[in-house]
Amino acid sequence: INAEYMGFLKEMDNPPQMERTYSMEIGKVKVDISLDADSCLLCANPISAIALGECGHRVICSTCLLRLRWIMKKNACPVCKMPLENLFVTHDLKAKYEDYLVNKAALIPDLEDDKVFFDCKDEFERFKMMRGYICPILDCKKDQHGIKGLDAHLKQNHNRTFCDLCFKHRLVFIGEQLIFPTHLLKDHMKYGENKGDLRIHPHPLCNFCGKNFYSEEPLQNHLEKLHMKCHLCSDKCKSVSYTHLTLPTILLVQISVVAVSLKKK
């Protein structure tokens, strides 16, 4: 999800009135937004299915809108901020909300959200797979009991595992989470992922605890909370931290670091 775009929506006090096309500024860029689009406004992928709400916007793909609803617990349209009680998932990119509203009985209701309906079985099955605890290995696809059961199954039968940090912090469906050969998990922690559209930063290590963190910010919060961190050099050298040292010793270390820095200059 484009963070700048979502930040703009959060700050917007008066959402635009419903029109076929209107413009809004995101940062310094003026963007034209319409009810219809070929590419998803959030993920930029071609739209093959939509989750149609009362506002009628068709610029968000079904995956992104249901991810917002089910994973991030946001039920409003990301374009106009109208609360969306019912959603109708369809491949018909020209569909009208009112037509589905009066024909709910002919649609497939979601198994967990009674306000979401599908007019196509393939999308119903796709989201069932993405939310279920089903083994992602192509030759297996066995349904497991909960995330612990799935994780144990992957380790015991396929020598694969989830990254616990990604699983906790990446706001995606279970079926979108990455799995790794167990012997390559350390490489993922150290180097992250940079494949195609996928960008995952390395998970930095606390050298005192031996614990990895999802990103640099929680690591720095951890260092400030549980370890002594030099306030003079933390901006230029974020890894300089001290623990189990008395204040006079820390001051001596700070003076030494500054002296060495000045000497180098």
Side-chain angles (χ1 to χ4, degrees):
I1 296 174
N2 186 298
E4 186 177 10
Y5 176 73
M6 295 302 290
F8 169 80
L9 291 178
K10 189 175 182 180
E11 295 173 1
M12 187 170 64
D13 294 324
N14 299 308
Q17 298 298 315
M18 178 59 61
E19 298 177 6
R20 295 301 302 178
T21 304
Y22 53 85
S23 298
M24 58 173 62
E25 289 188 3
I26 302 174
K28 297 181 180 180
V29 180
K30 191 173 184 180
V31 179
D32 291 329
I33 295 180
S34 69
L35 287 175
D36 309 286
D38 295 326
S39 299
C40 175
L41 193 62
L42 299 185
C43 68
N45 290 323
I47 297 178
S48 62
I50 56 173
L52 188 63
E54 184 178 357
C55 63
H57 282 112
R58 294 183 283 266
V59 294
I60 312 294
C61 70
S62 58
T63 300
C64 283
L65 198 56
L66 290 177
R67 190 189 293 121
L68 285 169
R69 184 184 184 96
W70 289 336
I71 306 297
M72 302 178 69
K73 309 303 180 185
K74 296 181 182 295
N75 289 349
C77 171
V79 176
C80 65
K81 302 184 72 174
M82 175 184 286
L84 303 178
E85 181 180 4
N86 296 298
L87 286 178
F88 301 105
V89 181
T90 177
H91 287 296
D92 183 359
L93 305 187
K94 301 296 182 181
K96 295 182 179 180
Y97 176 82
E98 296 77 12
D99 294 339
Y100 287 113
L101 195 61
V102 297
N103 291 302
K104 282 185 181 181
L107 304 176
I108 307 171
D110 183 71
L111 299 176
E112 300 178 30
D113 187 340
D114 62 1
K115 300 296 183 180
V116 175
F117 302 86
F118 299 81
D119 79 342
C120 41
K121 191 172 182 180
D122 63 327
E123 281 292 284
F124 173 80
E125 293 294 338
R126 186 170 73 90
F127 282 102
K128 181 181 176 182
M129 288 283 293
M130 285 205 296
R131 283 192 292 171
Y133 302 103
I134 299 171
C135 178
I137 304 299
L138 291 177
D139 296 334
C140 184
K141 296 294 183 184
K142 292 181 179 178
D143 200 351
Q144 304 299 317
H145 298 289
I147 186 58
K148 291 184 178 179
L150 177 57
D151 193 39
H153 168 82
L154 286 169
K155 290 176 180 176
Q156 294 170 9
N157 296 278
H158 306 293
N159 197 30
R160 298 288 192 275
T161 186
F162 290 108
C163 169
D164 290 338
L165 291 171
C166 285
F167 198 91
K168 180 179 179 180
H169 295 282
R170 286 187 71 219
L171 299 177
V172 297
F173 292 109
I174 294 173
E176 296 177 301
Q177 294 286 357
L178 301 179
I179 59 172
F180 305 91
T182 51
H183 68 283
L184 294 181
L185 183 60
K186 288 184 178 180
D187 288 341
H188 164 73
M189 293 280 192
K190 187 175 182 179
Y191 302 111
E193 303 293 329
N194 187 1
K195 301 174 183 176
D197 295 332
L198 180 64
R199 300 287 189 276
I200 300 178
H201 293 292
H203 303 322
L205 176 72
C206 173
N207 292 320
F208 299 110
C209 302
K211 178 181 178 181
N212 289 89
F213 291 81
Y214 184 67
S215 61
E216 189 68 32
E217 184 177 353
L219 171 62
Q220 294 305 312
N221 292 337
H222 165 80
L223 290 173
E224 291 176 356
K225 184 178 180 180
L226 298 181
H227 307 292
M228 294 292 186
K229 190 169 77 167
C230 174
H231 66 279
L232 295 176
C233 51
S234 59
D235 290 337
K236 295 183 178 179
C237 185
K238 292 184 178 180
S239 62
V240 177
S241 304
Y242 314 96
T243 187
H244 307 310
L245 299 178
T246 62
L247 183 58
T249 306
I250 293 172
L251 291 175
L252 286 173
V253 173
Q254 289 178 348
I255 293 170
S256 300
V257 171
V258 172
V260 170
S261 178
L262 292 174
K263 188 176 180 180
K264 287 182 178 180
K265 290 182 180 181

